[in-house]
Amino acid sequence: MALRAVVVGGGIGGIAAAVALARAGIDVELHEQAQQLAEVGAGVSLAPNGLRMLERLGVGELVRQAGVRYASAQLRLPDGRAVRHEPYQFSLPGQNTGIHRADLLALLAGELPPGTVQTGHRCTGFSQDDGSATAVFADGTTATADVLIGADGIHSVLQGFVVAPAEPVFSGVVAYRGLVPRLSAYPDDTIRMWMGEGRHFLVFPVRAGQLLNYVGFVPSDTAVRESWSAPGDQVALAAHFAGMYDRAPLSRWSSGRLTLLGDAAHPMLPHLGQGVNQALEDAVALAALLGASMSPAGVPRALAAYEELRRDRTARVQLGSRRQGAGYDSFGSQLIDRRWIYEYDAWAEAVALT
């Protein structure tokens, strides 16, 4: 009899986890609080470590068609002068790829078996016993399985059933995000970052080069709600903003048959471009370890192995993202060597533990 899994949260991390679990032969259902699966109108940069996981999930070719692989990666000073850097200190030409978040979500969702996703289910509670775990939803319904995965984001309800609630750490920066049509003057295969003290501006193409995604990082004395989609000041930048928060690495990710994934486990600042990429690593690694578990009795052991494999790496990326923000403030003089991030294969590391 196949293992049964419930995923709470229908963002990219949760959908990727559901796809990976289904491909591993696990009976999975996903519950999302919104009335339909949707992502905010912004782009995401996929690094080699994340793209490697998307190949495992069967959407590598679709991502190549919908996204844009950067042939050129440029760092510039405010006056436009180029900053010399090693490729592995920013983005690897010919490897890193820009894609619209909504496009990536749709590609992954298309890999799910029919009936996997249940929308309009806001998780409000959790319980478990020796043999099962149960999510409770606001409408009074429940979902019970052998394992429950909290992919419910930076405001995770399920995180509170694993560790004591942690206060977010405001970075002192807000990020203005948006999309504009790409004009012919901007190359269709180039990612650029303009660096200034306390202010950075990132631009890269998405949707097969039709659109440009931009992110403007600016200092702020006022902390805003942690969000990827809170409406911003249209006069200020005609976009959307998000307060840039992360949290100190959690002391644990799992409790019995419950574990966390993505932002629910390790919210991080965007300065290394690894939020989605690390969630993809989580998804594939977790599925590999659960898929190797021979019975429901082996679930707690598989979750312990997942946490051991993933927690130190994501903590290092979290802290590295903070440091990289300071490196951009220094006009590129303290850029991080990202080879240890890009060269990692989460699937191979998980399989080695099975």
Short mmCIF file of all heavy atoms in Angstrom, two decimals, residues 156-197:
data_model
loop_
_atom_site.label_atom_id
_atom_site.label_comp_id
_atom_site.label_asym_id
_atom_site.label_seq_id
_atom_site.Cartn_x
_atom_site.Cartn_y
_atom_site.Cartn_z
N SER A 156 3.68 30.58 8.08
CA SER A 156 3.25 29.21 8.28
C SER A 156 2.50 29.00 9.60
O SER A 156 3.00 29.34 10.68
CB SER A 156 4.48 28.29 8.26
OG SER A 156 4.14 26.97 8.61
N VAL A 157 1.31 28.41 9.49
CA VAL A 157 0.57 27.97 10.66
C VAL A 157 1.22 26.70 11.22
O VAL A 157 1.36 26.54 12.44
CB VAL A 157 -0.90 27.71 10.30
CG1 VAL A 157 -1.63 27.00 11.44
CG2 VAL A 157 -1.60 29.02 9.97
N LEU A 158 1.63 25.83 10.35
CA LEU A 158 2.16 24.54 10.79
C LEU A 158 3.53 24.66 11.45
O LEU A 158 3.89 23.79 12.25
CB LEU A 158 2.22 23.58 9.59
CG LEU A 158 0.83 23.15 9.10
CD1 LEU A 158 0.94 22.40 7.78
CD2 LEU A 158 0.12 22.30 10.14
N GLN A 159 4.27 25.71 11.15
CA GLN A 159 5.56 25.89 11.82
C GLN A 159 5.38 25.93 13.34
O GLN A 159 6.22 25.44 14.09
CB GLN A 159 6.23 27.18 11.35
CG GLN A 159 7.63 27.39 11.92
CD GLN A 159 8.16 28.79 11.67
OE1 GLN A 159 8.04 29.68 12.49
NE2 GLN A 159 8.74 28.97 10.49
N GLY A 160 4.26 26.51 13.79
CA GLY A 160 4.01 26.62 15.22
C GLY A 160 3.80 25.29 15.92
O GLY A 160 3.82 25.23 17.15
N PHE A 161 3.57 24.21 15.16
CA PHE A 161 3.44 22.89 15.75
C PHE A 161 4.78 22.14 15.77
O PHE A 161 4.84 20.99 16.23
CB PHE A 161 2.40 22.07 14.98
CG PHE A 161 1.00 22.60 15.12
CD1 PHE A 161 0.48 23.49 14.18
CD2 PHE A 161 0.21 22.25 16.21
CE1 PHE A 161 -0.80 24.00 14.31
CE2 PHE A 161 -1.07 22.76 16.35
CZ PHE A 161 -1.59 23.64 15.40
N VAL A 162 5.82 22.80 15.28
CA VAL A 162 7.15 22.19 15.27
C VAL A 162 8.08 22.91 16.24
O VAL A 162 8.81 22.29 17.02
CB VAL A 162 7.76 22.22 13.85
CG1 VAL A 162 9.19 21.68 13.86
CG2 VAL A 162 6.90 21.43 12.88
N VAL A 163 8.07 24.24 16.18
CA VAL A 163 8.91 25.06 17.07
C VAL A 163 8.08 26.21 17.61
O VAL A 163 7.00 26.53 17.08
CB VAL A 163 10.14 25.64 16.32
CG1 VAL A 163 11.08 24.53 15.87
CG2 VAL A 163 9.70 26.49 15.14
N ALA A 164 8.58 26.86 18.65
CA ALA A 164 7.92 28.06 19.17
C ALA A 164 7.97 29.14 18.11
O ALA A 164 8.96 29.26 17.37
CB ALA A 164 8.60 28.53 20.45
N PRO A 165 6.91 29.95 17.99
CA PRO A 165 6.91 31.02 16.98
C PRO A 165 8.13 31.91 17.08
O PRO A 165 8.56 32.28 18.17
CB PRO A 165 5.62 31.80 17.29
CG PRO A 165 4.74 30.80 17.98
CD PRO A 165 5.68 29.93 18.78
N ALA A 166 8.72 32.23 15.92
CA ALA A 166 9.93 33.06 15.86
C ALA A 166 9.58 34.44 15.31
O ALA A 166 8.79 34.55 14.38
CB ALA A 166 10.99 32.40 14.99
N GLU A 167 10.17 35.45 15.88
CA GLU A 167 9.95 36.81 15.39
C GLU A 167 10.72 37.01 14.09
O GLU A 167 11.89 36.62 13.99
CB GLU A 167 10.40 37.84 16.42
CG GLU A 167 9.48 37.93 17.63
CD GLU A 167 8.10 38.40 17.25
OE1 GLU A 167 7.98 39.34 16.42
OE2 GLU A 167 7.12 37.80 17.74
N PRO A 168 10.11 37.64 13.09
CA PRO A 168 10.83 37.94 11.86
C PRO A 168 11.87 39.02 12.08
O PRO A 168 11.75 39.84 13.00
CB PRO A 168 9.73 38.42 10.92
CG PRO A 168 8.69 38.99 11.84
CD PRO A 168 8.72 38.13 13.06
N VAL A 169 12.89 39.01 11.25
CA VAL A 169 13.95 40.02 11.31
C VAL A 169 13.83 40.91 10.08
O VAL A 169 13.99 40.44 8.95
CB VAL A 169 15.35 39.35 11.34
CG1 VAL A 169 16.45 40.42 11.38
CG2 VAL A 169 15.46 38.42 12.53
N PHE A 170 13.51 42.19 10.29
CA PHE A 170 13.37 43.11 9.17
C PHE A 170 14.75 43.59 8.73
O PHE A 170 15.57 43.99 9.54
CB PHE A 170 12.50 44.30 9.58
CG PHE A 170 12.29 45.32 8.48
CD1 PHE A 170 11.86 44.93 7.23
CD2 PHE A 170 12.54 46.67 8.70
CE1 PHE A 170 11.67 45.85 6.21
CE2 PHE A 170 12.35 47.60 7.70
CZ PHE A 170 11.91 47.20 6.46
N SER A 171 14.99 43.54 7.44
CA SER A 171 16.31 43.85 6.90
C SER A 171 16.58 45.34 6.78
O SER A 171 17.71 45.75 6.51
CB SER A 171 16.47 43.22 5.51
OG SER A 171 15.58 43.85 4.60
N GLY A 172 15.53 46.18 6.95
CA GLY A 172 15.70 47.61 6.72
C GLY A 172 15.60 47.99 5.26
O GLY A 172 15.92 49.11 4.87
N VAL A 173 15.16 47.06 4.43
CA VAL A 173 15.06 47.28 2.98
C VAL A 173 13.70 46.80 2.51
O VAL A 173 13.19 45.78 2.98
CB VAL A 173 16.18 46.52 2.24
CG1 VAL A 173 16.02 46.65 0.73
CG2 VAL A 173 17.55 47.03 2.67
N VAL A 174 13.11 47.53 1.56
CA VAL A 174 11.92 47.03 0.88
C VAL A 174 12.28 46.81 -0.58
O VAL A 174 13.19 47.45 -1.12
CB VAL A 174 10.71 47.99 0.99
CG1 VAL A 174 10.26 48.11 2.42
CG2 VAL A 174 11.02 49.35 0.40
N ALA A 175 11.55 45.89 -1.20
CA ALA A 175 11.84 45.53 -2.59
C ALA A 175 10.62 45.85 -3.45
O ALA A 175 9.55 45.32 -3.22
CB ALA A 175 12.17 44.05 -2.69
N TYR A 176 10.81 46.72 -4.42
CA TYR A 176 9.77 47.05 -5.39
C TYR A 176 9.91 46.12 -6.58
O TYR A 176 10.96 46.07 -7.22
CB TYR A 176 9.91 48.50 -5.85
CG TYR A 176 9.57 49.53 -4.81
CD1 TYR A 176 10.50 49.91 -3.85
CD2 TYR A 176 8.32 50.13 -4.79
CE1 TYR A 176 10.19 50.87 -2.90
CE2 TYR A 176 8.00 51.10 -3.85
CZ TYR A 176 8.94 51.46 -2.90
OH TYR A 176 8.63 52.40 -1.96
N ARG A 177 8.83 45.40 -6.89
CA ARG A 177 8.88 44.38 -7.93
C ARG A 177 7.85 44.67 -9.00
O ARG A 177 6.76 45.17 -8.71
CB ARG A 177 8.59 42.99 -7.34
CG ARG A 177 9.51 42.60 -6.22
CD ARG A 177 9.02 41.33 -5.53
NE ARG A 177 9.91 40.98 -4.44
CZ ARG A 177 11.01 40.25 -4.58
NH1 ARG A 177 11.33 39.77 -5.77
NH2 ARG A 177 11.80 39.99 -3.55
N GLY A 178 8.15 44.31 -10.22
CA GLY A 178 7.17 44.48 -11.27
C GLY A 178 7.63 43.89 -12.59
O GLY A 178 8.74 43.36 -12.71
N LEU A 179 6.76 43.99 -13.58
CA LEU A 179 7.01 43.50 -14.92
C LEU A 179 6.66 44.58 -15.92
O LEU A 179 5.65 45.28 -15.76
CB LEU A 179 6.17 42.26 -15.21
CG LEU A 179 6.49 41.00 -14.41
CD1 LEU A 179 5.34 40.02 -14.50
CD2 LEU A 179 7.77 40.34 -14.92
N VAL A 180 7.48 44.73 -16.95
CA VAL A 180 7.20 45.66 -18.03
C VAL A 180 7.53 44.95 -19.35
O VAL A 180 8.32 44.01 -19.38
CB VAL A 180 8.05 46.95 -17.93
CG1 VAL A 180 7.68 47.73 -16.67
CG2 VAL A 180 9.55 46.63 -17.93
N PRO A 181 6.90 45.36 -20.44
CA PRO A 181 7.26 44.77 -21.74
C PRO A 181 8.73 45.05 -22.06
O PRO A 181 9.24 46.14 -21.79
CB PRO A 181 6.34 45.49 -22.72
CG PRO A 181 5.20 45.99 -21.90
CD PRO A 181 5.78 46.32 -20.56
N ARG A 182 9.40 44.06 -22.63
CA ARG A 182 10.80 44.26 -23.00
C ARG A 182 10.89 45.03 -24.32
O ARG A 182 10.32 44.60 -25.32
CB ARG A 182 11.53 42.92 -23.14
CG ARG A 182 13.04 43.08 -23.41
CD ARG A 182 13.70 41.75 -23.69
NE ARG A 182 13.20 41.14 -24.92
CZ ARG A 182 13.68 41.44 -26.14
NH1 ARG A 182 14.64 42.36 -26.28
NH2 ARG A 182 13.17 40.85 -27.21
N LEU A 183 11.59 46.14 -24.30
CA LEU A 183 11.85 46.89 -25.52
C LEU A 183 13.10 46.34 -26.20
O LEU A 183 13.96 45.73 -25.56
CB LEU A 183 12.02 48.37 -25.21
CG LEU A 183 10.82 49.05 -24.53
CD1 LEU A 183 11.13 50.51 -24.23
CD2 LEU A 183 9.57 48.94 -25.41
N SER A 184 13.23 46.59 -27.48
CA SER A 184 14.34 46.03 -28.24
C SER A 184 15.70 46.53 -27.76
O SER A 184 16.72 45.88 -27.99
CB SER A 184 14.17 46.34 -29.73
OG SER A 184 14.11 47.74 -29.94
N ALA A 185 15.71 47.66 -27.06
CA ALA A 185 16.98 48.21 -26.57
C ALA A 185 17.59 47.35 -25.49
O ALA A 185 18.81 47.41 -25.25
CB ALA A 185 16.76 49.64 -26.05
N TYR A 186 16.78 46.54 -24.80
CA TYR A 186 17.32 45.67 -23.76
C TYR A 186 17.47 44.26 -24.32
O TYR A 186 16.53 43.70 -24.87
CB TYR A 186 16.41 45.63 -22.53
CG TYR A 186 17.05 44.94 -21.35
CD1 TYR A 186 17.72 45.67 -20.37
CD2 TYR A 186 17.03 43.55 -21.22
CE1 TYR A 186 18.34 45.04 -19.30
CE2 TYR A 186 17.65 42.91 -20.16
CZ TYR A 186 18.30 43.66 -19.21
OH TYR A 186 18.92 43.03 -18.15
N PRO A 187 18.67 43.66 -24.18
CA PRO A 187 18.89 42.31 -24.73
C PRO A 187 17.90 41.31 -24.15
O PRO A 187 17.49 41.42 -23.00
CB PRO A 187 20.32 41.99 -24.31
CG PRO A 187 20.95 43.31 -24.02
CD PRO A 187 19.87 44.19 -23.50
N ASP A 188 17.55 40.32 -24.94
CA ASP A 188 16.56 39.34 -24.50
C ASP A 188 17.19 38.19 -23.73
O ASP A 188 16.49 37.22 -23.39
CB ASP A 188 15.75 38.81 -25.67
CG ASP A 188 16.60 38.06 -26.69
OD1 ASP A 188 17.83 37.93 -26.47
OD2 ASP A 188 16.04 37.59 -27.70
N ASP A 189 18.49 38.27 -23.42
CA ASP A 189 19.15 37.15 -22.74
C ASP A 189 20.18 37.63 -21.72
O ASP A 189 21.20 36.99 -21.50
CB ASP A 189 19.84 36.25 -23.77
CG ASP A 189 20.89 36.99 -24.59
OD1 ASP A 189 21.05 38.22 -24.41
OD2 ASP A 189 21.56 36.33 -25.42
N THR A 190 19.89 38.77 -21.06
CA THR A 190 20.87 39.38 -20.16
C THR A 190 20.23 39.70 -18.82
O THR A 190 19.13 40.25 -18.75
CB THR A 190 21.44 40.67 -20.77
OG1 THR A 190 22.12 40.34 -21.98
CG2 THR A 190 22.42 41.35 -19.82
N ILE A 191 20.93 39.37 -17.73
CA ILE A 191 20.55 39.78 -16.40
C ILE A 191 21.52 40.86 -15.94
O ILE A 191 22.75 40.73 -16.15
CB ILE A 191 20.55 38.58 -15.41
CG1 ILE A 191 20.14 39.05 -14.01
CG2 ILE A 191 21.87 37.84 -15.40
CD1 ILE A 191 19.93 37.91 -13.03
N ARG A 192 21.00 41.94 -15.37
CA ARG A 192 21.84 43.05 -14.92
C ARG A 192 21.46 43.47 -13.52
O ARG A 192 20.29 43.48 -13.14
CB ARG A 192 21.68 44.26 -15.84
CG ARG A 192 22.35 44.12 -17.20
CD ARG A 192 22.07 45.32 -18.08
NE ARG A 192 22.71 45.20 -19.37
CZ ARG A 192 22.37 45.90 -20.44
NH1 ARG A 192 21.39 46.81 -20.37
NH2 ARG A 192 23.00 45.73 -21.60
N MET A 193 22.47 43.82 -12.74
CA MET A 193 22.28 44.39 -11.41
C MET A 193 23.07 45.68 -11.32
O MET A 193 24.29 45.69 -11.55
CB MET A 193 22.74 43.41 -10.33
CG MET A 193 22.88 44.03 -8.95
SD MET A 193 21.33 44.21 -8.05
CE MET A 193 21.21 42.58 -7.32
N TRP A 194 22.38 46.79 -11.04
CA TRP A 194 23.05 48.06 -10.74
C TRP A 194 23.20 48.15 -9.22
O TRP A 194 22.21 47.97 -8.49
CB TRP A 194 22.24 49.24 -11.25
CG TRP A 194 22.30 49.43 -12.74
CD1 TRP A 194 23.14 50.26 -13.43
CD2 TRP A 194 21.49 48.79 -13.73
NE1 TRP A 194 22.90 50.17 -14.78
CE2 TRP A 194 21.89 49.27 -15.00
CE3 TRP A 194 20.46 47.84 -13.68
CZ2 TRP A 194 21.30 48.85 -16.18
CZ3 TRP A 194 19.88 47.41 -14.86
CH2 TRP A 194 20.29 47.92 -16.10
N MET A 195 24.41 48.41 -8.75
CA MET A 195 24.69 48.41 -7.32
C MET A 195 24.99 49.81 -6.82
O MET A 195 25.73 50.57 -7.45
CB MET A 195 25.90 47.51 -7.02
CG MET A 195 25.69 46.06 -7.37
SD MET A 195 27.15 45.07 -7.00
CE MET A 195 28.32 45.76 -8.16
N GLY A 196 24.41 50.16 -5.69
CA GLY A 196 24.70 51.41 -5.03
C GLY A 196 24.57 51.21 -3.53
O GLY A 196 23.98 50.23 -3.08
N GLU A 197 25.08 52.12 -2.74
CA GLU A 197 25.03 51.98 -1.30
C GLU A 197 23.59 52.00 -0.81
O GLU A 197 22.89 52.99 -0.90
CB GLU A 197 25.83 53.09 -0.62
CG GLU A 197 25.95 52.90 0.88
CD GLU A 197 26.87 53.92 1.52
OE1 GLU A 197 27.48 54.72 0.78
OE2 GLU A 197 26.98 53.91 2.75
#
